[in-house]
Amino acid sequence: MKQKLTGITAVVAALFFGDVKPVEAQTVEVMMGNKSSALDVKVGAEVAPRTGILFRDITTADYENQVDNFGLFDINFRLFDDLNAVYETQFIPDTGVIPRAGFEYFKQLGEFSAYGLATAGITNDKADAEFVGVLGYQPRLSRNVALALNLEV
């Protein structure tokens, strides 16, 4: 059911915004640890001037075959050069669909970047806020390959 909601949200956004440019996975991260492994996929596109979408899916599996998933779909609108207003829908098993609104900031300086996202739940259930901050360094190794070092809070 949650995968259907994610697909439906993407289709509705594409219909609402019209002609969406072709997209490709912008990052695919595979993380393996001593208790579990995770696959983190992010796909985004500019769908109109000053307007973009982002889909993120994180699937985690432990070594006893317990699988968990977290997904989100963002629609962002550029307010200023580096600041966007964001509407986000999170999809969490056993929790459901969580609508959120807030702001995101991104600045690229050469191989260094800074990203921040602050959102708040917009349901009447309870007040909550989330903040994500990422500092990044991405030197190019070749035309198609870059090293990515990120510190995420």
Side-chain angles (χ1 to χ4, degrees):
M1 180 64 179
K2 287 150 195 70
Q3 288 76 14
K4 287 182 184 177
L5 287 174
T6 302
I8 291 168
T9 303
V11 168
V12 168
L15 293 173
F16 178 75
F17 289 112
D19 185 29
V20 178
K21 298 175 185 175
V23 298
E24 59 187 40
Q26 288 155 341
T27 64
V28 177
E29 299 176 31
V30 177
M31 297 159 275
M32 300 168 92
N34 62 351
K35 295 184 180 179
S36 65
S37 299
L39 176 65
D40 184 355
V41 178
K42 298 175 197 164
V43 178
E46 183 177 308
V47 294
R50 301 174 50 158
T51 306
I53 59 173
L54 171 73
F55 171 75
R56 183 176 189 180
D57 181 77
I58 303 170
T59 302
T60 306
D62 67 20
Y63 298 113
E64 295 176 6
N65 294 323
Q66 298 298 312
V67 177
D68 200 4
N69 182 264
F70 169 81
L72 63 81
F73 180 79
D74 285 358
I75 299 174
N76 59 63
F77 181 77
R78 187 172 49 241
L79 300 173
F80 304 104
D81 287 340
D82 303 321
L83 182 67
N84 295 337
V86 176
Y87 171 79
E88 179 174 279
T89 303
Q90 296 179 349
F91 308 94
I92 304 171
D94 300 326
T95 301
V97 176
I98 305 164
R100 309 183 66 75
F103 298 95
E104 70 179 349
Y105 174 84
F106 179 77
K107 184 70 172 180
Q108 180 85 37
L109 296 170
E111 296 175 337
F112 296 92
S113 63
Y115 173 79
L117 172 67
T119 62
I122 55 175
T123 63
N124 294 331
D125 295 343
K126 63 177 181 171
D128 71 290
E130 291 182 357
F131 175 76
V132 175
V134 181
L135 296 175
Y137 174 62
Q138 291 187 303
R140 283 247 163 246
L141 301 177
S142 71
R143 181 174 168 244
N144 295 320
V145 177
L147 177 65
L149 302 171
N150 291 322
L151 174 62
E152 186 171 340
V153 178

